[in-house]
Amino acid sequence: MKGLAGKVAIVTGGGSGLGREDCIELAREGCTIVAVDRDKMGAAATARQVSDNGGTALAIKADVSDATSVQAMVKQVLAVHPRIDILVNNAGVVGEMKRVHEVSEAAWDEVMNVDLKGTFLCSKYVLPTMLNQGRGVIINIASVSGFLASNAAVAYTAAKHGVVGLTKQLAYDYGHDGIRAVGIAPGVIETPLTKDWTCAGGPFHQLTMEAPAGRYGRPIDVARLVCFLASDEADFMQGHTFPIDGGSIIR
Ligand SMILES: NC(=O)c1ccc[n+]([C@@H]2O[C@H](COP(=O)([O-])OP(=O)(O)OC[C@H]3O[C@@H](n4cnc5c(N)ncnc54)[C@H](O)[C@@H]3O)[C@@H](O)[C@H]2O)c1
């Protein structure tokens, strides 16, 4: 896709599921990859997969919910690469599938800290580099839970609504500096995160099968959208979060 060759792309949560596939597809489009994950082995496995396919990737262990760890990660990237062109804020956890009066404060904090604060922190520490360049793209992985209530965990729904809002604000505040911010709202995609859901009788099975696409999503479905949104072909797309859900939330 136009404008991706030679770009440096950081993908958080790059050690598994959607993040891994994003790394592979962005590398296929010519990007140099930085796979960031708190799971060091997962990030390293992704980097290996990218280089086995002929790409270039660096694996960095970092916790997106910790400012010191994020700052160290950005420093490590800049020690190797002169620029950061693309940031995919993908790291996320779901937390407890409970209602407000049942969910623990610690469980609430964990989801907020990873899904929402992690998106804030990675953007915060990457943005100065993008501002210096006068160019950059931030892609936030929200969820259809960023648009509606469901069987999903309460903290997850709240955090992903926050990610949708943060994406708008990033676009609003940095658009005139040459920086684009957009979001993606996947429906249920088959990854390690959803392995207990994607079976008959799972919490989203009926909704998924009755939707127009009639199937669960695959990581490649999302990764191709990531590539498009990161490319120059999406130059007019700003601040919105785009659902990719097989049509599951159209009604
Ligand atoms: N799979 C789906 O159906 C689905 C649907 C909607 C949204 N999403 C979102 O997509 C993103 C990726 O989900 P997935 O299905 O690939 O999940 P996954 O569990 O397969 O991968 C998530 C990765 O994030 C990493 N991670 C978690 N906390 C971290 C932290 N604090 N710092 C750094 N890395 C951390 C994990 O180690 C893991 O490698 C998440 O934000 C999730 O909410 C997924």
Side-chain angles (χ1 to χ4, degrees):
M1 272 173 206
K2 222 168 98 190
L4 287 179
K7 293 281 164 67
V8 176
I10 297 178
V11 180
T12 71
S16 175
L18 299 186
R20 173 168 294 167
E21 196 76 11
D22 294 347
C23 290
I24 291 166
E25 286 306 303
L26 284 165
R28 214 189 292 282
E29 294 287 344
C31 292
T32 295
I33 302 300
V34 183
V36 173
D37 209 292
R38 67 179 171 189
D39 170 10
K40 192 179 169 185
M41 307 279 277
T46 298
R48 254 195 320 277
Q49 224 170 312
V50 168
S51 33
D52 286 351
N53 290 349
T56 308
L58 174 68
I60 298 180
K61 178 181 161 66
D63 179 349
V64 299
S65 66
D66 179 89
T68 309
S69 180
V70 172
Q71 282 174 283
M73 176 274 285
V74 172
K75 211 167 152 190
Q76 240 179 296
V77 176
L78 292 173
V80 180
H81 301 299
R83 38 192 306 124
I84 300 170
D85 301 292
I86 299 159
L87 168 65
V88 184
N89 282 310
N90 165 81
V93 292
V94 171
E96 298 176 354
M97 306 280 270
K98 291 177 177 170
R99 294 179 296 165
V100 167
H101 75 283
E102 298 159 329
V103 85
S104 70
E105 192 179 337
W108 170 273
D109 285 345
E110 205 221 335
V111 176
M112 284 294 165
N113 286 339
V114 177
D115 296 16
L116 184 52
K117 188 178 168 195
T119 301
F120 160 70
L121 286 175
C122 292
S123 304
K124 176 176 169 64
Y125 291 112
V126 164
L127 272 164
T129 301
M130 290 184 170
L131 284 168
N132 279 339
Q133 295 164 182
R135 206 174 158 76
V137 182
I138 297 177
I139 299 175
N140 295 330
I141 306 300
S143 165
V144 290
S145 296
F147 296 136
L148 41 79
S150 70
N151 297 343
V154 60
Y156 187 72
T157 300
K160 294 296 188 180
H161 274 72
V163 171
V164 171
L166 178 57
T167 305
K168 291 178 188 170
Q169 196 63 45
L170 283 167
Y172 187 86
D173 288 340
Y174 297 100
H176 293 279
D177 297 303
I179 295 164
R180 281 195 301 115
V182 287
I184 294 178
V188 182
I189 316 291
E190 289 177 310
T191 70
L193 185 88
T194 58
K195 65 181 184 316
D196 298 331
W197 302 352
T198 49
C199 54
F204 302 102
H205 194 71
Q206 196 178 342
L207 179 77
T208 304
M209 292 309 153
E210 284 175 359
R215 66 166 173 89
Y216 289 107
R218 305 178 188 111
I220 188 77
D221 297 323
V222 179
R224 293 312 300 165
L225 182 55
V226 166
C227 290
F228 171 68
L229 290 174
S231 78
D232 291 350
E233 290 168 47
D235 194 48
F236 198 48
M237 304 182 89
Q238 267 286 24
H240 290 291
T241 294
F242 301 96
I244 176 157
D245 67 334
S248 66
I249 64 162
I250 60 173
R251 67 186 173 102

